[in-house]
Amino acid sequence: MIIQGGMGVGVSSWRLANAIASAGQLGVVSGTANAVTHARQLAIGDPGGHHTRALDHFPFPDIAKRVYDRHFDTAKFEDGQARFRGLPSPTLKPGRSLTELTVVANFVEVFLAKAKHLGTVGVNYLEKIQLPTLASIYGAMLAGVDYVLMGAGVPARIPAILDRLARNERVTMPVTVTGAERGDQYEIVFDPEEFAAGADLPTVKRPKFLAIVSSATMATYLSRVASGGPDGFVVEMRTAGGHNAPPRGRMTIDEAGEPVYGPRDEIELEPIAELGLPFWLAGGFGNHAGLQRALAAGASGIQVGTAFAFCQESGLDPEIRATTIRSILGGEAKVRTDALASPTGYPFKVLELSTTLSEQKPYADRPRLCDLGYLREPYKRDDGRVGYRCAAEPVDDYLNKGGELSEVEGRRCLCNALVANIGLGQQRGDGYAEVPMLTAGDDIGIIRNFMRDGNESYSAQDVLDVLLGNSPSALD
């Protein structure tokens, strides 16, 4: 009945997904920028040896060894003063080393999430981040992932891709390129046989696919795709954390900088229920009463993110987690839907905290740059080739690539900020350290329900106990 949300870059860690799956619910790891987080975990010496342990089970030992040898380092990161080595940004045609790292990193997260229990594990991807998608999914499938979840776009081709990858077949996926003309075709390609480079291909099971939608129209469309539809839906309300669907029609911004939603944005659940597929409700359902409301509406259960984001097993840096919880308990934390923060153009829920990139001074103090590149926009250059730009990169660079000045104001570098959330932020050569930026749902205050006896921390099991009605806080 409970799906743990696939949050952020590494917030939905393997530890969190493992805890939820061990308790009989659906644990979900984040699939966003796993290549970066895996490389950086190895760079700091792989504390606990967990990534190294998972690499020992990767079905292509030569590839696992190359990834380990490229990135493992114990000498440079004492006292957190060393700079992480740069990685190539995703492109339409990534180099072999980035593809290997991407596949391996997704394998590692899922393998560790599935270890030592018989529960169910999923992985969450953003359709908006298209370029690493195929390699990422294959890596998760090599580890036996049970569910793939995807939103932030129209993931119509994913079911057919899962079918082909389960047969170890070559797959392609069209990529959106700004400025493309009729007849232009751009796609990413992944071929398991080419990746294996002559090694025997393992048997790969086909995971189920849950599409994350925010309208009955989208759910209906996806269910009718000729090449195959989803196995179910997560129906996400605009109160959920992370990226939200934009308002239908022309976006209007209020005085606080938040998008204005209207009656057209309310989600009709009856047409979704009539499709005959299981669905889970997300956004504002993080208590036992929310679960009961969802079940009464015909849902199979709920997806919960915010409550799990701040529990002990989440990937959040412990100091950031503790500071955030204190601010929430003190009534100081506020969540806003920022229409400009994300370079994707999607509204993004921002938790306002004085020391994070959510605030104007840290934002103004940060040198604009784009060195991770997961939210870059492919565009057609004047010479016909594909270039890449990000509205959060240096303004002149963005304009020189044909970007519009109106697109740069207020854009935050989510890639670096979200990696900093989990304690793996870059320490730059000029002394600047990347600043975190947190996201949460509108119901951030619910975390008070999970703490007992004056504690300022709680576990994933504490959350499950409340959600399932096994705790005195269940009625709060």
Side-chain angles (χ1 to χ4, degrees), residues 183-257:
D184 290 340
Q185 292 186 340
Y186 302 97
E187 62 182 13
I188 52 175
V189 179
F190 183 84
D191 187 340
E193 285 195 9
E194 181 181 318
F195 177 77
D200 292 338
L201 290 168
T203 300
V204 182
K205 79 170 186 178
R206 199 270 197 194
K208 292 185 177 182
F209 175 61
L210 300 182
I212 303 173
V213 301
S214 57
S215 71
T217 301
M218 179 61 71
T220 301
Y221 166 73
L222 292 173
S223 70
R224 294 176 178 173
V225 172
S227 59
D231 298 289
F233 302 98
V234 174
V235 182
E236 192 171 86
M237 312 298 172
R238 63 177 182 266
T239 54
H243 285 96
N244 296 155
R248 299 182 68 180
R250 185 174 181 178
M251 186 182 294
T252 303
I253 307 299
D254 65 18
E255 294 180 356

Side-chain angles (χ1 to χ4, degrees), residues 60-80:
F60 307 107
D62 290 347
I63 294 174
K65 184 177 186 305
R66 281 198 294 273
V67 169
Y68 180 87
D69 289 345
R70 286 188 195 113
H71 300 288
F72 186 82
D73 194 343
T74 58
K76 295 181 179 178
F77 286 87
E78 295 179 2
D79 302 322

Side-chain angles (χ1 to χ4, degrees), residues 354-369 409-413 432 435 437:
S354 61
T355 58
T356 72
L357 208 60
S358 67
E359 304 308 297
Q360 185 58 34
K361 187 177 187 310
Y363 167 65
D365 288 345
R366 182 186 183 272
R368 290 182 74 109
L369 56 86
E409 180 64 29
R411 301 296 189 195
R412 267 66 172 168
C413 179
Y432 180 80
V435 177
M437 188 171 80

